[in-house]
């Protein structure tokens, strides 16, 4: 294990009450406090984790890095984890998850790198409209792509598209410790202009013999010595040394993660992955089912195969949500009866009185939800 101190993992609650808050709580609501405190300083709040944008810079042709300074209510994160980021857009609160690419230092600054996604309301806002001085809401950290076994373990990192964000955080953390074990990063993008952190990664490769990086392009020809072509396949992985001794981390679209798992899960020492979009599945989509919301005594009909979160939003409802990829649990909801299908795995769950994540489950029968 490295002697370098690790950031404290985020908690789901705010820090313990100060004497002022304990005394003031019976007389002053948090909402009223937040309203007036924000007039004095934009990130002062009763208990809400907030962060102010200090800097923005272009990271690639379609991505921007935002440097943030959280207030003292945010409890921090570990390299590779995600957090929910929220902003008010056209009067609505929009939340998505991002993996900090820069971790808190002495001044508590962090950074997130956001790719502008077609149709992505928050990503477009952050890339095109958010300005220095704007304030965002932060959630607690979550996710399992962490360096739990320390730095002295050989690792292979696989990233596609936005999946580079947790991987650059892991790489930076290990570089800060001198790259004490072999580390290889394979990074896929469609075009060279969409690659992020290229100069930084090449700098690590030049400075640390134990670090190797290879950029794989799926939409244009390779030109540099550290570039390759084509989607992930067995031939690209065959030349990697000591694969059986390496921990593998993969992050990217669902199809990419599925292929990486099929190629490496039984060959590597261990395999961890997070997908930010569902892999293509052939699911039952014919017909409709009825969803009943027990708490609000409301019923409506939805199509099979549609995520429950999307179905509820189409009815004008706004259930709590975050990552929209089944990781953060923000949209977890109780199910009283009925059957659902997991959109990532295709698994069907018939068990009554259970919890499910609305964003990655669809209804296969009539459902009763605790909403």
């Amino acid at each position: 294990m490295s002697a370098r101190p690790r950031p404290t993992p985020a908690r789901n609650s705010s820090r313990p009450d100060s004497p002022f808050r304990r005394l003031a709580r019976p007389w002053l609501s948090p909402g009223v406090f937040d309203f007036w405190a924000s007039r004095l300083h934009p990130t002062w709040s009763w208990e809400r984790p907030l962060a102010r944008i200090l800097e923005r810079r272009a990271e690639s042709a379609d991505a921007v890095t935002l440097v943030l300074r959280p207030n003292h209510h945010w409890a921090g994160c570990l390299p590779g984890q995600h957090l929910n980021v929220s902003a008010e857009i056209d009067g609505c609160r929009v939340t998505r998850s991002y993996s900090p690419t820069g971790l808190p230092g002495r001044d508590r600054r962090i950074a997130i790198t956001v790719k502008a996604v077609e149709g992505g309301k928050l990503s477009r806002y952050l890339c095109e409209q958010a300005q220095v001085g704007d304030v965002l809401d932060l959630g607690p950290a979550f996710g399992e792509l962490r360096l739990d076994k320390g730095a002295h373990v050989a690792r292979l990192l696989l990233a596609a598209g936005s999946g580079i964000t947790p991987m650059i955080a892991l790489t930076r953390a290990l570089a800060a410790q001198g790259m004490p074990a072999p580390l290889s990063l394979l990074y896929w993008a469609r075009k060279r202009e969409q690659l992020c952190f290229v100069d930084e990664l090449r700098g690590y490769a030049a400075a640390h013999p134990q670090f190797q990086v290879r950029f794989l392009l799926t939409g244009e020809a390779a030109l540099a010595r550290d570039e390759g072509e084509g989607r992930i396949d067995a031939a690209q992985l065959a030349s990697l040394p000591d694969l059986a001794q390496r921990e593998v981390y993969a992050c990217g679209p669902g199809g990419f993660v599925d292929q990486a798992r099929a190629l490496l899960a039984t060959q590597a020492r261990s395999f961890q992955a997070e997908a930010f979009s569902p892999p293509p599945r052939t699911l039952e989509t014919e017909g409709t089912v009825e969803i009943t919301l027990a708490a609000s005594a409301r019923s409506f009909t939805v199509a099979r195969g549609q995520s429950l979160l999307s179905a509820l939003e189409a009815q004008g409802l706004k259930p709590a949500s975050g990552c929209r990829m089944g990781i953060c649990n923000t949209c977890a909801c109780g199910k009283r009866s009925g059957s659902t299908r997991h959109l990532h795995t295709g698994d069907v769950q018939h068990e009554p009185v259970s919890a499910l994540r609305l964003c990655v489950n669809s209804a296969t029968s009539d459902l009763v939800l605790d909403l």
Side-chain angles (χ1 to χ4, degrees):
M1 294 290 289
S2 167
R4 184 179 177 85
R6 294 170 55 172
T8 302
R11 301 182 296 273
N12 289 325
S13 60
S14 61
R15 298 179 184 277
D17 269 354
S18 66
F20 167 78
R21 289 201 296 174
R22 288 197 297 269
L23 291 172
R25 188 177 292 276
W27 313 102
L28 183 64
S29 72
V32 171
F33 179 89
D34 288 357
F35 176 82
W36 291 109
S38 66
R39 270 57 183 171
L40 300 175
H41 192 280
T43 59
W44 285 0
S45 70
W46 183 269
E47 58 188 0
R48 286 171 61 198
L50 301 172
R52 189 178 187 183
I53 300 175
L54 299 181
E55 179 186 343
R56 56 175 294 133
R57 61 177 181 268
E59 203 63 65
S60 72
D62 57 356
V64 63
T65 289
L66 302 178
V67 179
L68 313 175
R69 177 178 287 158
N71 64 13
H72 68 281
H73 295 304
W74 188 65
C77 65
L78 298 174
Q81 288 191 303
H82 292 72
L83 69 151
N84 285 338
V85 178
S86 305
E88 292 287 331
I89 305 174
D90 299 328
C92 297
R93 180 183 172 91
V94 183
T95 303
R96 296 292 182 269
S97 70
Y98 297 98
S99 182
T101 53
L103 298 174
R106 292 181 179 178
D107 60 358
R108 290 183 50 82
R109 295 186 182 194
I110 61 171
I112 58 173
T113 299
V114 182
K115 180 179 180 180
V117 178
E118 184 176 356
K121 197 167 186 179
L122 184 58
S123 70
R124 287 285 176 183
Y125 172 80
L126 294 176
C127 285
E128 299 168 4
Q129 300 180 43
Q131 301 296 319
V132 171
D134 290 352
V135 174
L136 306 171
D137 281 76
L138 301 184
F142 59 89
E144 300 303 318
L145 293 183
R146 305 177 302 189
L147 303 175
D148 289 333
K149 296 182 180 179
H152 297 275
V153 177
R155 293 179 171 91
L156 168 62
L157 311 182
L158 307 175
S162 298
I164 189 60
T165 54
M167 302 308 177
I168 192 66
L170 295 174
T171 302
R172 286 170 173 169
L174 292 169
Q177 300 173 57
M179 293 291 182
L183 178 67
S184 297
L185 169 63
L186 303 185
Y187 175 17
W188 280 262
R190 192 168 65 88
K191 294 184 177 181
R192 189 174 292 100
E193 66 180 11
Q194 296 174 318
L195 294 167
C196 298
F197 316 114
V198 173
D199 291 342
E200 179 182 359
L201 290 168
R202 284 175 171 160
Y204 291 147
H208 301 285
Q210 298 219 80
F211 177 65
Q212 297 179 331
V213 62
R214 188 160 181 79
F215 305 98
L216 288 308
L217 304 173
T218 62
E220 59 186 23
L223 298 177
R225 293 177 58 187
D226 57 3
E227 292 180 351
E229 300 173 15
R231 300 182 183 279
I232 184 172
D233 59 22
Q236 292 172 342
L237 304 175
S239 62
L240 294 171
D242 305 322
L243 187 57
Q245 305 301 318
R246 296 204 179 210
E247 294 186 348
V248 177
Y249 298 68
C251 188
F256 170 84
V257 168
D258 266 6
Q259 181 70 358
R261 181 179 287 109
L263 292 168
L264 294 169
T266 60
Q267 298 185 44
R269 174 177 174 176
S270 65
F271 183 91
Q272 297 183 61
E274 288 179 354
F276 54 74
S277 67
R281 302 283 181 186
T282 302
L283 299 177
E284 181 182 4
T285 57
E286 296 182 359
T288 60
V289 296
E290 184 177 80
I291 295 180
T292 299
L293 307 182
S296 55
R298 180 178 175 181
S299 297
F300 48 86
T301 300
V302 303
R304 285 190 174 94
Q306 182 182 18
S307 82
L308 291 170
L309 179 58
S310 298
L312 293 169
E313 291 175 337
Q315 295 293 320
L317 302 173
K318 298 179 180 179
S321 64
C323 69
R324 305 180 80 90
M325 57 185 181
I327 299 176
C328 72
N329 277 329
T330 303
C331 66
C333 167
K335 180 186 72 173
R336 297 193 181 184
S337 65
S339 299
T340 56
R341 188 188 301 272
H342 197 286
L343 294 171
H344 290 189
T345 65
D347 294 339
V348 177
Q349 175 60 256
H350 304 290
E351 183 180 356
V353 192
S354 59
L356 77 161
R357 298 178 178 95
L358 296 173
C359 65
V360 291
N361 281 280
S362 65
T364 61
S365 73
D366 293 345
L367 290 182
V368 179
L369 301 177
D370 289 329
L371 289 175

